[in-house]
Amino acid sequence: MDKGKAVMGSGRRWAVEFTDNSTSHSSRNIPDPPGFTRVSQEQDDSATSKQKKDAEANWKAQKAWEVAQAPVKNLFMMGFMMWMAGSTVHLFSIGITISALLQPINALRGVGKVFEPYKDNRVDLMLPKLVFIALNLVGLGLGVWKLNTLGLLPTHVSDWVSSLPPAQEVEYSGGGIPLV
Amino acid sequence: MNMAIRVYLLLFLALSYSYTAFSLYEDQVGLMDWHQQYIGKVKHAVFHTQKAARKRVVVSTEENVVSSLDLRHGEIFWRHVLAPSDVIDQIDIALGKYVITLSSGGSILRAWNLPDGQMVWESTLPGPKASKPLLLVPVNFKIDRESVMFVHGNGFIHAISSINGEVIWKTELASEGINIQQLIYTDGSDTISAVGFVGTHRFGAYILHVKNGELLNYKSMEFPSGFSGDLSLVTDDTAVAIDSIGTSLVTIQFHDGLFSFHQTRLSDLIQDFQRAAVISQSNIPGAFILGTANSITLIKVLSRGELKVVEELGHATAVSDALFLPGGQQAFALVQHRDGKILLTVKLDSDDGLSNLLEETIHLDNQRGKVQKVFINTYVRVDRSNGFRVLIVMEDDSLFLLQQGEIVWSREDGLASIVDVKPAELPVEKDGVSVAKVENNLFEWLKGHLLKLKGTLMIATPDDVAAIQKMRLQSSGKSKMTQDRNGFRKLLIVLTRAGKLFALHTGDGRIVWSRLLMTLRKSETCQSPRGISLHQWQDPHHHALNQNPSVLIVGRCGDSLGSTGVLSIVDSYTGEERNRMEHVHSIAHIIPLSFTDSAEQRLHLLLDANRRAHLYPRTAEALDIFQRELGNIYWYSAETDEGILRGRSVQKNCVLEEADNFCFDSRDLWSIVFPSESEKIAATATRSLNEVVHTQAKVTAEQEVMYKYVSKNMLFLATVTPKAVGPIGSVTVDESSLIAYLIDTVTGRILHRVTHHGSVGPVHAVFSENWVVYHYFNLRAHRYEMSVIEIYDQARAENKDVLKLVLGTHNLTSPITAYSRPEVSTKSQSYFFAHSLKAMAVTLTAKGITSKQVLLGTIGDQVLALDKRFLDPRRTVNPTQAEKEEGIIPLTDSLPIIPQSYVTHALKVEGLRGIVTVPAKLESTTLVFTYGADLFFTQLAPSKTYDSLTEDFSYALLLITIGALVIAIFVTWVWSEKKELQEKWR
């Protein structure tokens, strides 16, 4: 399907415009019909489109904020799940923790894509993006905290010395009870 | 991720720490373990070949075993191992159904039922002083219709009923200081006589009434030349002995209380007689056998005590007792060595003189040495003539039954007296396995696994089950002569008391090669050679791989510390002797050093009685390596007699008459003197040289870290009150104590000392990593106790900075010296234990990660595996949740004995003397070899086999599952393709 589209899109050699280009200047030599004032129509037209665009921008901004605040819901869900999972290491708690870690990471990686539909010159996406990132970071933090409560973070001395080989000795001594 | 894996591993270990102990299913017996039964070097043999019963021979051995062997196959019908202190003196058969043993220097008489070996009765025959134990079982003699036997021992002569062992009469004979040598009873006579020497110049004889033991007559007579050695009885009224200077033979005749001596010069009898004549113990009526340095002679005693040489028997090495044949004749067997073969001659001794009845040559392999003992027995052939069977004991303690010029059976009974054991690797598998073989193997493999699968799915017929079991037991893999990936297949090099070296295969216990060492054989220069120990001499791992590994055998000529040493180096693969050194310096200690030369020969330091150190191998390269490390080599000596522990350092070359670059003097550095009135060294223990410790830290459940004080130079030493060295009961509770020390042997610093009041030895101890476990007797509690001491390094406990550890800027792994002042702390705990012990060992694994088990050789000759977790000083009565998670068991006053944790399961290792553990390549597994009169070998997995699939894992099921999944994937893929195509056309 995509292939067909591409052919139609890029392989165009000639075209006939059937649309009425009445507003274009090329047909200015033709006088307007009586009772038709071009100016007013133009003004009116521009006013309505501007209104429309404003609405759209507002809508986009609103949507962007909604998206930005979406992780909050997630956070609460995650928190609840973590509380349910308890603090002992087993399959369920490991699964929850891993998903709690992966979800924010994936979200952060796709931050551009998430706000793609709301891109607009007139909409400032910076703030929602920052909020989104911040919330996801909170989620990530929550995951890390959970990891720590499970004891899976190497923050203790014991995590670093548990496979430390014994130190070599300089001296060597042998002997015992004489062999009789 | 690494962390997570580690946590999982820990968790897994913790889970596998559950209370279930190591145990075995019934059908797993014999899969990984083998058991061999031996009896030791035969001292006495009595044949029992009556027509009706099964033919057997009853033997007693140097290992204190009394046993009945099947004469047809040499198998053991029954066997009893007596305690080492209860040495068997004599055996005989009474009434045709009881085996009689006299033991403990004539103090204990026992009767065993001949068919099954059940003890019928036992009599103790106490007396005031030790004397030569003698047992006389007359064939047809009865007092009040009761069969009677006579026993002399502890100064008494006893008449004992054969039926129930009751003493019918007893008479003391020792009053005059007589040393009774023989008991004489002639069939049908009313008297029994006991003859012997009084002092060295007097011959004495007691005559007793046979029915009531009344002393009828005692006479003694002086012989001016004196006697030496034993009295040898020729007939019922004639005996011979050698005079005190060893130049003449004395014939003693005693007839109705009349003595007469007759002296014959040895040089008159034997032409080129020099010295050192010995009257052989062979009992040949009317004659005796005289052995000199170069020949043995049969000499007859004539009527008036005159001697007549009947025949020179040449270089015979062993002569049997005489055997009475029907018709008043007697026969005896003698065995000679000729051209590497054995020449067996049976001589008939009749009135006409001596004639050869039988002459046979038998080929024996050349690793048997000389014949030591011969026992003869007769049977009636089909043509009614006499046939002979002969039991011979060889120099290597093996036992052979010869009949009609052939070896009927043989037993390697030298293996009952193992001195030392060392493991050796097998050769690496070479390339070039033929395809046909592989295919065959593959087919067999598949077939085998299909059978197993049937077994798992419970659809196997009884025949199949039998086939599966047989296949498991005889899996060809386990007895191959090459290394395996798991390191289960090895050779066990074993040195026996006879000086023979055996290589046993760990798979099935068969003998791969054996060699009687020339250095440990009796020779003129080395009168009583003795093997001391085995050491790994060369073990090529990295380079010098074209060389075979080898072992060093250290021995000594004689029993004293000052006698000269002998060394041999033997190839572990072939058993060939590569090098031998005889009459080297005396040997007091052997210290294997941790250095090897370019050919991977390990450097050994041998210390002599004069405290000089001798370096081996004697090469310039070894000397160079040693000189470099000279300043860091120390040695210590625990002198038990003086109660001193001395530490010494090795110094420059010794000053000798002839310069020896490989000899070094040593200098006293420190000594610890134990007060002789209150302490006597009872036991020492050090860590095994090849023990690998995985980590220096011990992590508790609260993420706390304790640093182990891991040092190879630590010595555990236990002293007991000198009075308490005797048997239990020789000391009171208040005056006995046991003191345990942990000593650094480089500096002589006592790291820890603990006193157990009211405790006595014997002490058994094992030292591993940073802990020591020891076993002793608590007089106060009347129970055996086991204690554990764990030692931790406090100086390292400061290392708490995670960042430093992450960046690796700590100094925890940098080399340490014993001279830096150690700050140690110890934890210890004691527990009651039900058994008394014979031996103790600890499991060793390749990397030291697997948890440890303490192996206890119990008094019942079994091996019990006890988890180290039970011997953890951190045990408390109520462990916290975290401690429980860590695997700490609630504290109990005594250690549990879980029947399933007997390593030897239903078997016994009679006369258990030692337990050897060898790490396999597979981390979870350790190989255990236990020796005594029996041998037992098995594999142990103290934390279960977490790193390999179980034996009965069904590979076939796995393969079938994988195959089915692959097919399923293909089928579904084809389906999905088809469906997608249809979708597109729609």
Side-chain angles (χ1 to χ4, degrees):
Chain A
M1 286 298 187
D2 286 333
K3 217 173 172 183
K5 254 184 195 167
V7 167
M8 278 159 82
S10 61
R12 192 159 67 182
R13 297 279 163 84
W14 54 268
V16 178
E17 289 276 348
F18 291 105
T19 47
D20 177 24
N21 252 0
S22 49
T23 51
S24 67
H25 294 278
S26 60
S27 52
R28 272 289 157 96
N29 47 351
I30 302 165
D32 287 331
F36 173 77
T37 49
R38 187 175 294 267
V39 183
S40 61
Q41 196 193 354
E42 258 176 18
Q43 279 169 345
D44 191 48
D45 216 29
S46 70
T48 52
S49 77
K50 193 177 181 182
Q51 254 178 11
K52 218 189 236 171
K53 271 182 186 166
D54 277 347
E56 197 183 296
N58 274 337
W59 177 80
K60 272 184 179 174
Q62 200 186 331
K63 274 283 163 196
W65 276 111
E66 260 174 43
V67 167
Q69 283 158 8
V72 176
K73 246 192 302 173
N74 236 334
L75 269 178
F76 282 109
M77 240 255 292
M78 225 62 235
F80 178 69
M81 296 261 274
M82 278 174 186
W83 176 72
M84 289 289 285
S87 63
T88 47
V89 181
H90 52 82
L91 205 64
F92 185 60
S93 62
I94 292 269
I96 297 277
T97 315
I98 286 176
S99 79
L101 285 171
L102 282 183
Q103 218 171 5
I105 288 170
N106 279 339
L108 288 175
R109 271 173 38 175
V111 113
K113 216 173 233 170
V114 171
F115 287 94
E116 186 87 12
Y118 319 116
K119 216 171 174 181
D120 203 308
N121 292 336
R122 272 175 290 178
V123 181
D124 184 18
L125 281 178
M126 198 60 195
L127 219 57
K129 265 186 186 173
L130 278 178
V131 169
F132 182 79
I133 287 170
L135 284 173
N136 271 311
L137 281 178
V138 170
L140 195 68
L142 200 66
V144 171
W145 172 80
K146 183 71 192 169
L147 211 58
N148 193 26
T149 55
L150 288 180
L152 300 184
L153 278 189
T155 51
H156 290 277
V157 179
S158 56
D159 302 323
W160 296 94
V161 294
S162 61
S163 58
L164 216 56
Q168 266 195 325
E169 286 175 284
V170 177
E171 292 92 358
Y172 183 85
S173 172
I177 298 174
L179 306 157
V180 175
Chain B
M1 203 56 205
N2 201 357
M3 239 359 264
I5 289 169
R6 198 174 293 160
V7 166
Y8 261 109
L9 244 175
L10 277 176
L11 182 81
F12 183 81
L13 282 176
L15 283 177
S16 58
Y17 271 157
S18 51
Y19 274 93
T20 52
F22 167 85
S23 56
L24 212 61
Y25 288 103
E26 190 183 352
D27 63 339
Q28 288 174 321
V29 169
L31 279 185
M32 303 174 298
D33 57 335
W34 48 262
H35 181 238
Q36 295 175 352
Q37 294 185 314
Y38 296 102
I39 53 175
K41 185 179 189 174
V42 171
K43 283 198 289 195
H44 309 108
V46 182
F47 290 90
H48 182 82
T49 49
Q50 282 174 354
K51 264 176 203 155
R54 286 207 282 185
K55 292 182 172 45
R56 57 186 86 211
V57 56
V58 179
V59 294
S60 78
T61 71
E62 309 258 343
E63 291 302 313
N64 238 4
V65 175
V66 53
S67 171
S68 164
L69 302 177
D70 184 354
L71 211 48
R72 219 171 278 275
H73 305 108
E75 284 152 14
I76 296 170
F77 278 137
W78 54 262
R79 182 179 59 152
H80 293 287
V81 183
L82 305 189
S85 56
D86 191 15
V87 179
I88 301 171
D89 305 308
Q90 296 266 322
I91 59 165
D92 210 333
I93 292 180
L95 300 174
K97 60 179 181 181
Y98 293 159
V99 176
I100 308 293
T101 61
L102 181 66
S103 58
S104 283
S107 306
I108 301 173
L109 190 70
R110 293 188 182 95
W112 315 85
N113 193 17
L114 187 58
D116 57 7
Q118 300 277 343
M119 189 159 78
V120 185
W121 50 258
E122 182 185 66
S123 290
T124 44
L125 313 169
K129 63 161 206 163
S131 61
K132 187 175 174 181
L134 297 166
L135 173 69
L136 184 70
V137 183
V139 185
N140 294 309
F141 174 70
K142 288 187 165 113
I143 298 174
D144 301 336
R145 281 184 288 164
E146 256 189 284
S147 263
V148 166
M149 64 184 85
F150 301 106
V151 175
H152 173 256
N154 294 326
F156 276 92
I157 181 162
H158 301 260
I160 287 162
S161 161
S162 304
I163 295 293
N164 51 21
E166 273 175 27
V167 177
I168 294 171
W169 54 259
K170 67 174 186 176
T171 308
E172 190 169 3
L173 297 183
S175 51
E176 300 232 2
I178 189 168
N179 178 15
I180 298 290
Q181 298 270 333
Q182 297 285 349
L183 291 183
I184 306 155
Y185 173 74
T186 321
D187 269 344
S189 98
D190 288 341
T191 56
I192 177 167
S193 18
V195 295
F197 299 131
V198 186
T200 54
H201 287 75
R202 203 164 247 283
F203 176 79
Y206 283 96
I207 296 169
L208 291 94
H209 196 279
V210 80
K211 301 269 186 196
N212 53 21
E214 190 190 331
L215 188 62
L216 297 176
N217 197 358
Y218 170 69
K219 259 203 163 169
S220 69
M221 190 168 155
E222 178 133 352
F223 180 67
S225 307
F227 306 102
S228 70
D230 282 354
L231 185 74
S232 180
L233 203 65
V234 178
T235 59
D236 287 345
D237 53 7
T238 318
V240 286
I242 295 174
D243 72 350
S244 54
I245 44 172
T247 54
S248 47
L249 282 166
V250 188
T251 317
I252 306 152
Q253 287 188 304
F254 34 98
H255 235 358
D256 302 327
L258 292 172
F259 296 157
S260 68
F261 297 112
H262 188 278
Q263 202 170 357
T264 316
R265 293 186 66 78
L266 277 164
S267 49
D268 295 343
L269 287 172
I270 304 159
Q271 274 149 21
D272 51 347
F273 169 72
Q274 281 135 5
R275 242 168 197 284
V278 180
I279 297 175
S280 154
Q281 285 302 307
S282 303
N283 181 11
I284 301 166
F288 64 94
I289 282 167
L290 187 77
T292 57
N294 40 25
S295 75
I296 72 162
T297 318
L298 181 76
I299 298 169
K300 269 216 150 150
V301 181
L302 301 179
S303 55
R304 273 175 299 146
E306 287 140 8
L307 302 178
K308 184 186 152 207
V309 174
V310 181
E311 195 169 333
E312 291 233 0
L313 299 169
H315 283 281
T317 48
V319 184
S320 73
D321 284 354
L323 182 79
F324 292 100
L325 298 178
Q329 296 170 317
Q330 56 181 346
F332 62 91
L334 63 119
V335 179
Q336 290 160 294
H337 289 273
R338 202 165 285 173
D339 313 328
K341 284 180 184 169
I342 274 185
L343 181 66
L344 169 74
T345 318
V346 177
K347 298 263 186 189
L348 185 69
D349 185 17
S350 59
D351 299 336
D352 314 332
L354 212 58
S355 58
N356 281 6
L357 203 59
L358 185 77
E359 214 167 299
E360 285 165 353
T361 52
I362 296 122
H363 187 80
L364 280 186
D365 77 77
N366 54 2
Q367 296 299 329
R368 302 275 174 201
K370 289 186 172 163
V371 177
Q372 305 283 301
K373 278 201 169 78
V374 186
F375 303 96
I376 187 169
N377 180 237
T378 179
Y379 62 94
V380 181
R381 291 215 198 106
V382 184
D383 60 355
R384 304 212 145 236
S385 63
N386 286 310
F388 294 97
R389 57 171 82 88
V390 166
L391 195 67
I392 59 172
V393 183
M394 304 298 292
E395 197 177 342
D396 68 341
D397 298 354
S398 56
L399 190 66
F400 286 85
L401 185 78
L402 311 178
Q403 193 173 335
Q404 294 178 334
E406 297 207 19
I407 300 167
V408 183
W409 49 260
S410 66
R411 293 182 57 87
E412 284 287 358
D413 280 311
L415 285 171
S417 46
I418 287 174
V419 174
D420 203 1
V421 184
K422 275 282 168 306
E425 293 292 341
L426 281 161
V428 183
E429 190 149 13
K430 296 280 192 303
D431 298 337
V433 185
S434 71
V435 180
K437 202 173 173 186
V438 171
E439 276 174 353
N440 181 34
N441 280 347
L442 192 70
F443 180 66
E444 289 284 307
W445 185 85
L446 261 180
K447 214 170 88 179
H449 278 290
L450 274 176
L451 263 178
K452 264 192 194 172
L453 183 68
K454 271 168 104 178
T456 350
L457 300 176
M458 313 271 234
I459 52 167
T461 60
D463 285 350
D464 286 346
V465 173
I468 293 168
Q469 185 64 7
K470 197 179 160 201
M471 203 170 56
R472 289 169 72 188
L473 288 176
Q474 302 179 332
S475 80
S476 57
K478 77 176 185 186
S479 56
K480 260 165 108 182
M481 280 303 297
T482 49
Q483 275 180 31
D484 60 337
R485 201 182 298 153
N486 292 336
F488 293 161
R489 290 200 297 261
K490 279 182 203 295
L491 286 179
L492 291 168
I493 313 285
V494 155
L495 177 67
T496 66
R497 203 171 293 149
K500 198 172 187 180
L501 212 56
F502 290 92
L504 305 178
H505 195 287
T506 56
D508 50 5
R510 71 175 188 277
I511 295 164
V512 177
W513 54 259
S514 63
R515 172 162 293 264
L516 191 63
L517 292 167
M518 289 307 288
T519 48
L520 294 179
R521 281 182 74 176
K522 207 170 174 177
S523 66
E524 283 186 18
T525 50
C526 193
Q527 280 300 328
S528 58
R530 201 161 61 91
I532 297 175
S533 57
L534 281 176
H535 300 271
Q536 208 90 51
W537 179 255
Q538 192 181 13
D539 190 14
H541 268 305
H542 308 293
H543 22 268
L545 280 171
N546 54 338
Q547 299 233 23
N548 291 353
S550 54
V551 285
L552 170 74
I553 299 104
V554 181
R556 179 190 285 163
C557 291
D559 290 327
S560 71
L561 197 59
S563 40
T564 59
V566 287
L567 304 170
S568 325
I569 294 163
V570 172
D571 191 310
S572 306
Y573 289 173
T574 61
E576 270 159 41
E577 198 168 15
R578 276 201 215 152
N579 195 358
R580 86 167 77 123
M581 280 163 268
E582 283 168 288
H583 304 299
V584 296
H585 48 85
S586 58
I587 296 166
H589 299 277
I590 302 144
I591 304 176
L593 299 176
S594 51
F595 321 110
T596 53
D597 66 3
S598 59
E600 295 214 37
Q601 297 187 70
R602 185 161 294 277
L603 268 59
H604 283 75
L605 208 58
L606 269 63
L607 294 145
D608 65 15
N610 297 324
R611 292 163 184 167
R612 289 200 189 96
H614 302 264
L615 178 71
Y616 291 88
R618 298 171 83 87
T619 58
E621 191 195 356
L623 192 64
D624 192 42
I625 297 169
F626 184 70
Q627 293 278 17
R628 243 182 285 146
E629 299 288 341
L630 189 62
N632 289 328
I633 291 169
Y634 299 80
W635 64 278
Y636 65 94
S637 171
E639 282 148 25
T640 44
D641 299 335
E642 295 155 52
I644 298 178
L645 182 69
R646 272 182 223 281
R648 303 179 136 256
S649 70
V650 182
Q651 270 190 321
K652 55 194 180 301
N653 283 84
C654 18
V655 187
L656 290 173
E657 281 153 29
E658 46 187 311
D660 184 359
N661 283 336
F662 298 95
C663 172
F664 295 86
D665 264 327
S666 61
R667 186 168 63 98
D668 263 327
L669 285 182
W670 52 265
S671 60
I672 298 170
V673 183
F674 300 102
S676 60
E677 68 275 11
S678 62
E679 291 185 41
K680 181 175 171 54
I681 297 172
T684 62
T686 52
R687 277 177 57 198
S688 160
L689 277 178
N690 54 353
E691 189 189 45
V692 182
V693 180
H694 177 244
T695 171
Q696 53 173 291
K698 181 174 174 137
V699 181
T700 65
E702 292 93 18
Q703 304 289 321
E704 286 288 315
V705 180
M706 293 193 286
Y707 291 93
K708 300 174 188 171
Y709 186 77
V710 181
S711 167
K712 281 220 189 286
N713 302 328
M714 231 187 327
L715 171 76
F716 167 79
L717 188 140
T719 65
V720 292
T721 314
K723 267 205 250 171
V725 176
I728 286 173
S730 56
V731 72
T732 63
V733 177
D734 293 326
E735 56 189 11
S736 67
S737 60
L738 183 145
I739 304 171
Y741 294 87
L742 287 177
I743 298 165
D744 186 309
T745 54
V746 172
T747 58
R749 184 177 279 130
I750 297 174
L751 298 168
H752 184 63
R753 178 180 187 275
V754 60
T755 310
H756 298 272
H757 290 289
S759 295
V760 293
V763 182
H764 295 273
V766 280
F767 205 137
S768 171
E769 295 197 1
N770 67 326
W771 52 265
V772 59
V773 169
Y774 51 103
H775 177 273
Y776 52 90
F777 188 77
N778 187 334
L779 281 177
R780 212 178 287 277
H782 301 288
R783 280 204 259 187
Y784 283 96
E785 244 177 39
M786 274 172 98
S787 285
V788 58
I789 303 175
E790 289 189 358
I791 181 162
Y792 292 97
D793 194 344
Q794 277 318 107
R796 284 163 183 260
E798 309 303 313
N799 282 292
K800 289 222 164 103
D801 193 347
V802 178
L803 200 66
K804 254 189 181 177
L805 291 162
V806 173
L807 297 174
T809 50
H810 57 87
N811 59 352
L812 287 173
T813 48
S814 53
I816 49 161
T817 166
Y819 289 104
S820 65
R821 186 179 171 76
E823 287 172 52
V824 295
S825 67
T826 54
K827 289 172 184 284
S828 54
Q829 221 166 48
S830 298
Y831 321 87
F832 290 128
F833 188 65
H835 284 302
S836 97
L837 297 188
K838 285 185 166 184
M840 212 165 162
V842 65
T843 56
L844 295 176
T845 53
K847 302 234 162 38
I849 299 170
T850 310
S851 62
K852 303 257 178 189
Q853 275 181 341
V854 178
L855 302 176
L856 308 166
T858 63
I859 198 77
D861 293 325
Q862 293 208 306
V863 179
L864 182 73
L866 187 68
D867 263 356
K868 172 65 178 59
R869 288 184 305 137
F870 289 110
L871 294 156
D872 187 342
R874 290 173 56 230
R875 281 174 72 181
T876 49
V877 180
N878 289 313
T880 63
Q881 188 59 37
E883 280 175 338
K884 268 186 199 156
E885 256 171 52
E886 194 192 330
I888 285 181
I889 303 164
L891 182 61
T892 48
D893 62 342
S894 59
L895 295 170
I897 292 171
I898 304 158
Q900 292 96 315
S901 59
Y902 276 105
V903 174
T904 43
H905 44 89
L907 302 169
K908 272 176 97 178
V909 185
E910 294 280 6
L912 188 145
R913 273 180 291 124
I915 304 168
V916 176
T917 55
V918 182
K921 277 184 202 156
L922 199 67
E923 169 55 27
S924 66
T925 312
T926 176
L927 312 177
V928 179
F929 180 62
T930 312
Y931 60 89
D934 295 352
L935 310 181
F936 179 78
F937 173 88
T938 191
Q939 293 172 12
L940 276 190
S943 302
K944 303 203 176 147
T945 49
Y946 55 84
D947 50 1
S948 69
L949 295 167
T950 53
E951 180 77 17
D952 49 355
F953 181 81
S954 180
Y955 288 92
L957 191 63
L958 181 74
L959 272 189
I960 289 170
T961 318
I962 291 173
L965 282 175
V966 168
I967 291 167
I969 287 169
F970 265 97
V971 170
T972 47
W973 179 67
V974 169
W975 277 351
S976 84
E977 282 288 293
K978 266 186 188 166
K979 200 167 183 192
E980 202 169 308
L981 198 63
Q982 277 172 355
E983 285 286 324
K984 280 179 186 165
W985 278 110
R986 194 168 285 167

